[in-house]
Amino acid sequence: MGPCKRFFAVFGLLLGLPTQAAEPVPVTLGTVQVQVAKVHAVADFDLPASTTTVDTDGNGRGALISEALGGVPGLLARERQNFAQDTQLSIRGFGARSTFGVRGVRLLVDGVPATMPDGQGQLSHFNLLGAERIEVLRGPFSALYGNSSGGVLQLWSADGQRGDPWRLRSSYGSNNSISTGVQLKGQAAAMHYNVAANHFRTDGWRDHSAARRESLTARLGFDLAPGQRLDLLINAFDAPHAQDPLGLSREQVRANPHQATAVAGQYNTRKSVRQAQAGAVYTLDRERQTWRLMGYAGQRAVEQFLAIPPGPQNSPLHSGGVIDLDSDYGGIDARWAWHGALAGKPLELVMGANADRQRQDRTGYENFVGDTLGIKGRLRRDQRDRVENIDQFVQAWWQFSPRWSALVGARHSQVRFRSDDRYITPGNPDDSGRRDYSATTPVAGLVFRANDDLRLYASAGRGFETPTFNELGYRADGGAGLALDLSPALSRNYELGGKWRAQNGARLELALFRADTDDELAVARNSGGRSSFRNIGATRRQGVELGWWQPLPNDQHLQLAWTWLQATVREGYLTCTGLPAPCTVPLNPVAPGTRLPGVPRQQLSARWQWQPGAWQWAAEMVAASDIGVSDLGDTRAPGYGLLNLEVAREWNTARGPLRLFARVDNLLDQRYIGSVIVNDGNQRYYEPGPDRAYSAGLQWAW
């Protein structure tokens, strides 16, 4: 019996088991913030968009964001068992190609961008311990957030109030994994505070995958006067020397999925990240108007040791096997919101502009000195990169009849790339260059109110995605300089959907979607440990999302999320992916109809919960179909189905409630591929998922 068949067999058996939510449960809150501005607020039930809000306050396990996002339709978040690389995150297939960081999906924390102006983002500093909720937006209206917005993920910290408890949370699990955090939340005079600090470390499930992470977040809110509010946002993150086990070939996975690739040990592949940022948000509410001004600034340093052998680095154009990045970034956002009426019908209007900038010192070094590997050697790259955007946007919601409402908007974005090369030698000419991109992305949607508990909607819009600086870094022809010939990917997005709710809290949401993209970016060349990119033509992502939330008798709850996604190439092209390697001239054909890599055709998440008194029980199952690993579409990682169980018990003490909890992941001890490295030049595509794992911990609130 295959893993997916086992999954559905176990699912049938579990229909008789009592369960509970010790994990965050996706719920849809009553209102959303339209384009982040806190206007009169429109219920998400009345918006022509797919939105899901995950309530994390008091429930998050405190370390990994992927643990909170398993029940969101259309979203794929995969931990790689490799803390030197970020969580793999994609929404409706956007972002699935990324081999490092997050691209194609817009990320924000308390309204502050975690995605840089070039579209490259990071999840590593998202701290769940201090979070209240995570909002996920899918579909055409994501384009209102700017460049590389195939979807939007926002984390919001809780706003401290009088009487809020403080929390201490600690857990221990398999592979000597420890997570300990403390949250101080409340109100002192006019100041609302929420400060959360977390320590995490692990020896890693795979060899050479040990890691340590420290994070601190703080949200301090000040009531300056009636209708006036100032929020100060602080974030710090440190992850030194996270070991990178690299991917495995299919044969290596069969032999020993715990192993690291041999060169990982030879070169001591690892990555260090340190980030600190601060922001301020001023909000002024006056009758029907809301003014909001946000500013932020930060620094991020990354040092990564790769497993590139000395041979390819003999080329005078090679940038070495050590990447050293020091970045300064910041930006401002100003917006005005008004709620009133047009022709006697309710109207919400938001207008604004924002500007963001990142300045990056990018240096490269050889990863050897003499015969000693895995240490920093001679300088091979030295450039100053700058990317900035200036955007303007407007959107309006109008309920023009008792049964009909419309949401329309547009955003104009201008993204500018500049690079100043300071490493110039006789064999390596001046690679300085610049490139500007701009686009206007309109969106529109209609909602029909069939009755009090049923909404039908349709929406459409355009989006665009520029290359990131990493994709601009190497030319497809192997020559010196940046790939300034790359064009942005342009998409046309459509969605039809329905939302239903019942008086007992049951909800059902269904969405059909399509995104047609021109000038999709894909790998053109793999050589010397580097990948270059090209525009390949047209692709299509289309599918169905279903979310169902059903309360059951005796404090039970059922939640299902299912996604069917067909992501394919519409125009054939040639690629260097596959053999021979290294490849300098694209020769391998990719036929029309080939599936895009990194995208499973189907995903299913099911969770049944039960809370009898002080006890809490939960069972959840996740399943995914097979997934392509390269543009050629001829090799896939197999699908899988996993079962996880939880139990918790809470006691009321004189000092506050004490909660003990335990969890078993992958109860059936399945062997599976947890994530893939798309288009890996060494064809080590596979990152195995862990076998049966245990964790236990406590939380004390006082």
Side-chain angles (χ1 to χ4, degrees), residues 17-22 552-557 608-613 615-619 646 648:
L17 290 181
T19 57
Q20 184 284 328
L552 299 172
N554 302 319
D555 298 315
Q556 298 181 77
H557 182 91
W608 198 357
Q609 311 171 156
W610 184 40
Q611 185 171 352
W615 284 94
Q616 298 177 333
W617 305 85
E646 299 170 0

Side-chain angles (χ1 to χ4, degrees), residues 164-431:
D164 283 343
W166 292 5
R167 286 195 295 159
L168 173 66
R169 188 178 182 90
S170 183
S171 65
Y172 178 83
S174 299
N175 310 309
N176 196 27
S177 299
I178 297 174
S179 177
T180 301
V182 62
Q183 180 191 30
L184 309 179
K185 186 175 67 169
Q187 182 177 352
M191 182 181 73
H192 306 258
Y193 62 90
N194 178 8
V195 181
N198 197 79
H199 163 82
F200 172 79
R201 71 173 176 83
T202 180
D203 290 343
W205 179 74
R206 292 179 59 195
D207 298 338
H208 195 73
S209 61
R212 176 170 64 87
R213 291 183 168 190
E214 323 282 351
S215 63
L216 171 70
T217 61
R219 176 180 176 182
L220 306 177
F222 299 89
D223 297 321
L224 304 179
Q228 296 187 55
R229 168 84 179 228
L230 176 65
D231 285 284
L232 302 181
L233 309 170
I234 301 170
N235 182 286
F237 176 78
D238 186 27
H241 308 301
Q243 296 178 329
D244 188 347
L246 305 178
L248 299 177
S249 67
R250 188 180 293 272
E251 293 73 22
Q252 289 173 316
V253 173
R254 290 195 187 104
N256 177 15
H258 289 267
Q259 69 176 305
T261 302
V263 293
Q266 294 172 4
Y267 289 88
N268 189 19
T269 49
R270 61 197 185 275
K271 182 178 180 181
S272 298
V273 179
R274 179 172 292 174
Q275 176 174 305
Q277 69 180 38
V281 180
Y282 172 74
T283 305
L284 173 64
D285 283 314
R286 283 290 183 266
E287 296 181 353
R288 297 184 175 185
Q289 301 183 65
T290 299
W291 298 85
R292 178 182 177 274
L293 178 65
M294 183 272 289
Y296 71 99
Q299 294 181 323
R300 183 178 178 89
V302 178
E303 183 183 59
Q304 185 171 14
F305 287 76
L306 306 175
I308 300 174
Q313 298 180 58
N314 290 329
S315 168
L317 299 180
H318 203 282
S319 57
V322 179
I323 300 172
D324 195 339
L325 305 175
D326 287 307
S327 302
D328 296 321
Y329 60 89
I332 57 173
D333 183 295
R335 59 190 65 193
W336 167 78
W338 177 81
H339 61 271
L342 176 64
K345 306 297 182 181
L347 175 69
E348 309 284 345
L349 178 65
V350 182
M351 302 176 63
N354 71 280
D356 305 277
R357 172 183 290 183
Q358 180 187 25
R359 293 179 175 177
Q360 185 168 258
D361 293 342
R362 181 187 293 263
T363 52
Y365 301 85
E366 294 175 344
N367 57 356
F368 63 92
V369 175
D371 294 331
T372 304
L373 305 178
I375 62 175
K376 185 181 289 188
R378 292 186 303 159
L379 179 70
R380 299 298 303 273
R381 185 175 193 172
D382 185 8
Q383 66 189 56
R384 303 296 182 268
D385 295 334
R386 185 177 71 183
V387 57
E388 59 189 15
N389 71 274
I390 300 176
D391 290 19
Q392 308 85 38
F393 58 87
V394 60
Q395 73 172 34
W397 176 85
W398 186 34
Q399 185 174 348
F400 56 88
S401 81
R403 286 183 170 244
W404 291 91
S405 62
L407 181 64
V408 298
R411 188 181 189 104
H412 177 76
S413 300
Q414 186 172 30
V415 186
R416 298 174 178 174
F417 291 85
R418 305 288 185 273
S419 182
D420 178 16
D421 188 7
R422 302 186 179 185
Y423 182 78
I424 303 171
T425 68
N428 190 329
D430 187 348
D431 298 334

